[in-house]
């Protein structure tokens, strides 16, 4: 069972209070974009064994969306952070680097 | 004016290890706005008569309670008959601000679980940490109880107040009765 810290209400919420929201930091392409860009927005997702970034919602709680960085193979949680960002904060990246040197995910490393 | 009717008509149950009661009709106002805006804080203070609660906390005084729902949402509990006046005060004080005050009194149901085993009954139903040193009087928690979303706080030692959606009031009442059935004491706390 995953336990994620909600950065908005400060609760360590177990998975049953949360709703998974899929991959984090997906860039939206709308009207005027190329077919390839639009396809990437709609369908193309990472499927890593290791470091991953996701969106979660504290559905049975404060109701807010937030981001989580975790490892898909060990379920270790590196940290959670605000939804109001388009990339992981440096602090989170540093925490991951300390445990998974050389990691990369999409354009982040 | 039509007569207000709470979800279960104020049903009570005392055949188990705690007293369970649907209390209501209960006045409830959902209030959203910018907590960092001094004018918002003043408007709340003037209308409700209570200071802003801290994160996951309640402020209680007399018949009014102010609950922290999220970083931009409060829940006001007040006498059912006071809602219209309080709402009018809030709406005029918050005119021009990015804020919202709505009467949700009839959209919710409120229960009270009282007795020495109240904490244990709650802990059977929610994943929230209810250890006595982790959840104290004056704290507020939004979570789930079995399969439905709920929020609760300790009004005083051994007396929980629970807010849930009106549509699941019967489910909540049955849930609490089941968790409080005679002989179901665990004695953990
Ligand atoms: Zn939360």
């Amino acid at each position: 069972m995953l336990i994620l810290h909600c950065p908005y209400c400060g609760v360590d919420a177990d998975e049953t209070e949360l709703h998974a929201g899929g991959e984090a930091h997906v860039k939206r392409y709308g009207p005027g974009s190329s077919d390839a860009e639009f396809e990437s927005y709609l369908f193309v997702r990472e499927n890593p064994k290791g470091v991953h970034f996701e969106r979660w919602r504290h559905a049975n709680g404060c109701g807010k969306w937030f981001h989580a960085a975790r490892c898909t193979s060990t379920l270790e949680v590196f940290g959670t952070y605000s939804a109001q960002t388009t990339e992981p904060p440096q602090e989170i990246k540093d925490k991951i680097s300390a445990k998974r040197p050389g990691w990369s995910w999409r354009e982040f490393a | 004016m039509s007569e207000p009717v709470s979800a279960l008509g104020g049903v009570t149950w005392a055949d188990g290890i705690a007293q369970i009661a649907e209390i209501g009709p209960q006045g409830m106002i959902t209030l959203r706005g910018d907590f960092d805006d001094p004018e918002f804080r003043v408007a709340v203070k003037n209308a409700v008569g209570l200071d802003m609660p801290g994160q996951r906390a309640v402020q209680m005084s007399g018949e009014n309670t102010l609950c922290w729902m999220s970083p931009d949402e409060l829940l006001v509990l007040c006498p059912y008959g006071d809602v219209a006046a309080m709402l009018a005060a809030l709406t005029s004080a918050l005119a021009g601000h990015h804020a919202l005050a709505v009467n949700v009194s009839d959209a919710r149901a409120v229960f009270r679980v009282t007795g020495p085993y109240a904490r244990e009954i709650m802990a059977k139903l929610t994943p929230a940490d209810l250890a006595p040193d982790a959840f104290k009087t004056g704290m507020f928690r939004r979570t789930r109880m079995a399969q439905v979303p709920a929020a609760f706080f300790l009004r005083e030692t051994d007396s929980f107040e629970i807010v849930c959606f009106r549509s699941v009031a019967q489910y909540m009442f049955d849930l609490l009765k089941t968790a409080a059935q005679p002989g179901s004491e665990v004695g953990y706390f």
Side-chain angles (χ1 to χ4, degrees):
Chain A
M1 165 103 53
L2 271 176
I3 295 177
L4 299 177
H5 182 81
C6 172
Y8 294 94
C9 66
V11 155
D12 289 329
D14 89 32
E15 206 174 328
T16 64
E17 281 191 18
L18 304 168
H19 181 80
E23 189 169 318
H25 308 302
V26 173
K27 183 170 179 185
R28 185 180 190 282
Y29 288 99
S33 61
S34 70
D35 285 354
E37 286 169 337
F38 192 56
E39 185 211 13
S40 77
Y41 162 57
L42 282 184
F43 302 116
V44 180
R45 295 293 181 268
E46 299 295 305
N47 185 22
K49 180 181 178 186
V51 175
H52 195 33
F53 296 86
E54 295 169 318
R55 288 164 9 112
W56 287 83
R57 182 171 175 257
H58 197 186
N60 287 319
C62 67
K64 301 297 185 192
W65 286 95
F66 60 91
H67 284 128
R70 65 183 187 96
C71 177
T72 58
S73 56
T74 64
L75 299 189
E76 178 177 5
V77 177
F78 302 113
T80 55
Y81 52 99
S82 163
Q84 280 74 37
T85 177
T86 53
E87 62 175 286
Q90 192 59 46
E91 174 206 354
I92 296 285
K93 291 195 227 176
D94 290 344
K95 278 185 188 164
I96 300 171
S97 296
K99 293 185 165 166
R100 302 285 191 280
W103 69 277
S104 74
W105 184 88
R106 288 201 179 223
E107 68 267 40
F108 308 122
Chain B
M1 275 297 280
S2 49
E3 192 68 24
V5 177
S6 69
L8 304 180
V11 67
T12 60
W13 186 78
D15 298 337
I17 60 173
Q19 288 78 53
I20 294 162
E22 192 231 0
I23 55 170
Q26 167 76 57
M28 281 177 269
I29 295 171
T30 282
L31 192 53
R32 302 196 81 146
D34 179 1
F35 288 12
D36 295 327
D37 178 356
E39 292 184 44
F40 178 80
R41 304 173 75 96
V42 169
V44 172
K45 169 92 186 176
N46 289 343
V48 187
L50 291 166
D51 288 324
M52 294 282 288
Q55 188 184 49
R56 298 199 317 281
V58 291
Q59 292 280 359
M60 300 180 267
S61 178
E63 294 182 301
N64 292 348
T65 305
L66 194 54
C67 313
W68 190 95
M69 296 288 275
S70 86
D72 57 7
E73 181 177 346
L74 298 168
L75 179 68
V76 182
L77 304 178
C78 66
Y80 191 91
D82 291 357
V83 169
M86 198 177 285
L87 210 49
L90 284 165
T91 305
S92 75
L94 293 170
H97 288 73
H98 186 64
L100 181 80
V102 178
N103 180 359
V104 294
S105 308
D106 299 308
R108 310 265 172 90
V110 186
F111 291 88
R112 186 174 285 152
V113 179
T114 311
Y117 288 103
R119 184 181 291 272
E120 196 165 288
I121 290 161
M122 296 298 288
K124 289 177 185 179
L125 300 171
T126 169
D129 186 355
L130 292 186
D133 56 347
F135 196 79
K136 301 172 179 161
T137 305
M139 290 183 177
F140 188 82
R141 184 68 153 81
R142 286 176 81 181
T143 177
R144 68 177 172 87
M145 289 177 65
Q147 299 187 55
V148 295
F152 54 76
F153 62 99
L154 265 172
R155 164 127 353 239
E156 54 199 46
T157 309
D158 296 340
S159 183
F160 280 86
E161 243 170 78
I162 305 155
V163 179
C164 66
F165 290 118
R166 185 185 184 109
S167 55
V168 296
Q170 186 66 52
Y171 175 87
M172 181 64 77
F173 185 55
D174 293 344
L175 203 60
L176 291 168
K177 283 193 293 185
T178 305
Q181 63 187 278
S184 70
E185 302 92 338
V186 180
Y188 185 74
F189 294 126

